[in-house]
Amino acid sequence: MTQQIREARRRPVRRGALFAGVVLTASALVLTGCNASGEGAAEGEGGEFDFTGKDVAAMADYGVGDTFKATEPVEFGLFYRDHPNYPLKEDWLILEALEENQNVTFDIVSAPLSEWDQRKSLVVGAGDAPEIISVTYPGQEVAFVAGGAILPASDFVQYMPHYMDKVEKWDLEADLDQMRQEDGKYYVFPGFREEPRAEYSFAVRSDVWEELGLSLEPATFDELREQLRTVKEAYPDLYPMTDRWSANGPLEATLSFVSPNFGTSAGWGYGEGLTWDGKEFVYTGATDEYRDLIEFYASLVEEGLLDPESVTQDDDQAVQKFASGNAMSISTNDQEIVRYRTTVEELGSDVEMAQIRVPAGPAGDNFQAGQRTVNGFMLSSKVAESENFLAMLQFLDWLYYSDEGLEFAKWGVEGETFTKDADGTRVLKENITVMGLNPGAPENLQADYGFSNGVWTLVHGSTVELDRSMLRPEVLDFVEAMSTKEVLELAPPAPLSEIEREQVSLYQSALRDHVSQNTAAFILGQRSLDEWDSYVTELEGMNLPPYPELFTGALMGYADAD
């Protein structure tokens, strides 16, 4: 295998209704503007592209349901994120299969996960990036648009029939609108989900909950708080709840999945810090809904229900407290709860746990908006000059967006890494483990074969069926329970111009830092919530008024162009 491994002011778009109470959690948003079936697509957003001399190795007849295979061997440059849990290997089955079946190999430039975003910024900014730039979250591309280092994805998706097919079938236009830049184009090829899937919630000591006669399905956060009070009464020397994921801010994961139920956004989901109220954008960290969220968590600390070290402790400390029985609940996701159980076994603790459904809050029983487009990839602008440009688009379309390619990237090669039952259910080979399946098996699907790797599988499934195909029964139960929540509406797109983006950058960091610092102070009781109005006044003195006004103005200008 050949492989070198080295370290115009707003374009009009269709508009939907503008919804009140919507939180903006991404900087700019998408619409494809061409035939989503991929068949007979007329002009894309950039017009018809002349592939003369750039269609070498491309298939002459390629459409939905077709398997891509280059008509002659091709090698694509790939900027690869190297994950420590599955370090890159030249002899991975995924690479061998792509060479044999798709006629594709890679010239790989790798960067470790710990340095990925920094290295990507340097390499792409300098114009030295390989053709395919993997693992990019929408919003990360903004810094590269003005310099012309990356290709506008929306100009070329018309040549990717599986991509267009899913956009049409799954009605993804409004989700894609969230990625548009000021020029009306979007620059990331995102991963798609047919339906959003919940991953984060609370893990509770199910043995203690059952001992005390508590439901594992608290309906509301008020009921959850009552449960924690009952646990505290029974175990006064322990904390009913500790927490983690506070390395870059207080309770970032927890506040992110809890906040929609309070009608706001926080933590990892804070985004630009803007909420659409139906008429204009307002600053999230100064709203009454944000105060309600913080007041709830402050009450937990005040009553001794939440370990105050949760706001600052590292993840290992938090996990040890929970696994050793010194705390009775903690935030989790479907994979981390497996880690908790492993830690319990290592400590020899007598602990049972379960992941519970996120309760409803004062704003309703809600799930955050914008969860159907996830991390994807960018293309270096130089690929438009490659003789294999069309072949590359066809290959990427097959791998990332066709049902066949998605299954291959996740499960591997049928007969070698998995089999199928008579009803079509996939079964991982007994000698292979992944995602908690076949625990203790000697080989790992990711580390030893290269599959279920975020570089080649954007959302581990895309379709509901494939997305859930590796989930353990307890996780499926959690996902089903969470699926009854109301998915919040997306905010209308408000892409900023380069000048507006520069203005925003002058305000954004200071505002967010002040919100983060005071969120921690309010929760810990270091600052009284009686001082909320003073805190808002402080934000106003840090340019709060013009900050959301910039986005409202961008929204109106973008809409007026329609």
Side-chain angles (χ1 to χ4, degrees), residues 477-532:
D477 290 343
F478 168 72
V479 170
E480 286 294 330
M482 289 289 289
S483 68
T484 61
K485 280 185 168 287
E486 181 74 20
V487 179
L488 294 175
E489 298 284 359
L490 291 161
L496 301 175
S497 68
E498 186 176 359
I499 293 175
E500 289 166 339
R501 177 59 57 186
E502 290 175 358
Q503 290 177 297
V504 161
S505 67
L506 296 175
Y507 307 145
Q508 192 173 55
S509 294
L511 287 168
R512 185 177 184 124
D513 288 347
H514 196 65
V515 170
S516 180
Q517 292 163 9
N518 281 274
T519 295
F522 284 132
I523 289 174
L524 293 174
Q526 296 168 349
R527 186 171 189 180
S528 171
L529 279 161
D530 292 339
E531 298 182 30
W532 181 264

Side-chain angles (χ1 to χ4, degrees), residues 163-328:
Y163 179 105
M164 301 296 282
D165 183 57
K166 282 186 167 49
V167 168
E168 180 182 53
K169 286 181 177 177
W170 296 349
D171 194 20
L172 287 162
E173 287 89 350
D175 298 82
L176 292 174
D177 267 337
Q178 304 302 306
M179 302 191 306
R180 282 196 183 275
Q181 303 303 311
E182 182 265 345
D183 61 2
K185 302 176 187 290
Y186 58 96
Y187 289 75
V188 172
F189 296 82
F192 293 149
R193 270 197 168 121
E194 183 177 4
E195 294 179 4
R197 172 163 70 85
E199 298 177 68
Y200 287 82
S201 181
F202 302 103
V204 304
R205 283 282 304 274
S206 54
D207 52 343
V208 172
W209 256 243
E210 292 171 5
E211 170 199 332
L212 299 175
L214 301 176
S215 171
L216 290 173
E217 300 179 355
T220 66
F221 276 95
D222 285 341
E223 182 181 344
L224 177 61
R225 179 166 49 195
E226 287 297 327
Q227 290 187 345
L228 298 178
R229 287 168 177 161
T230 301
V231 173
K232 183 67 174 179
E233 184 177 355
Y235 295 91
D237 297 330
L238 304 177
Y239 280 111
M241 179 177 286
T242 194
D243 219 339
R244 55 177 299 197
W245 285 308
S246 294
N248 299 307
L251 311 176
E252 286 198 300
T254 301
L255 295 184
S256 182
F257 67 74
V258 168
S259 58
N261 302 280
F262 286 76
T264 188
S265 64
W268 289 342
Y270 194 71
E272 304 279 13
L274 296 167
T275 299
W276 176 251
D277 70 0
K279 296 180 180 179
E280 62 184 359
F281 288 110
V282 296
Y283 192 64
T284 303
T287 61
D288 291 343
E289 291 80 5
Y290 194 86
R291 186 189 190 281
D292 291 343
L293 172 67
I294 302 310
E295 186 174 31
F296 175 80
Y297 271 88
S299 75
L300 299 185
V301 172
E302 183 180 10
E303 295 185 38
L305 307 178
L306 173 64
D307 174 10
E309 292 183 355
S310 301
V311 174
T312 55
Q313 70 188 351
D314 64 38
D315 288 358
D316 288 340
Q317 288 176 298
V319 172
Q320 286 290 320
K321 287 179 180 179
F322 180 62
S324 65
N326 289 317
M328 299 299 186

Side-chain angles (χ1 to χ4, degrees), residues 128 371 484 529 560:
D128 296 330
Q371 301 298 300
T484 61
L529 279 161
D560 287 345

Side-chain angles (χ1 to χ4, degrees), residues 80 86-96 447-450:
Y80 180 91
Y86 37 94
L88 179 63
K89 297 178 182 178
E90 291 189 53
D91 62 350
W92 270 344
L93 177 59
I94 189 171
L95 296 173
E96 294 174 351
D448 297 308
Y449 294 88

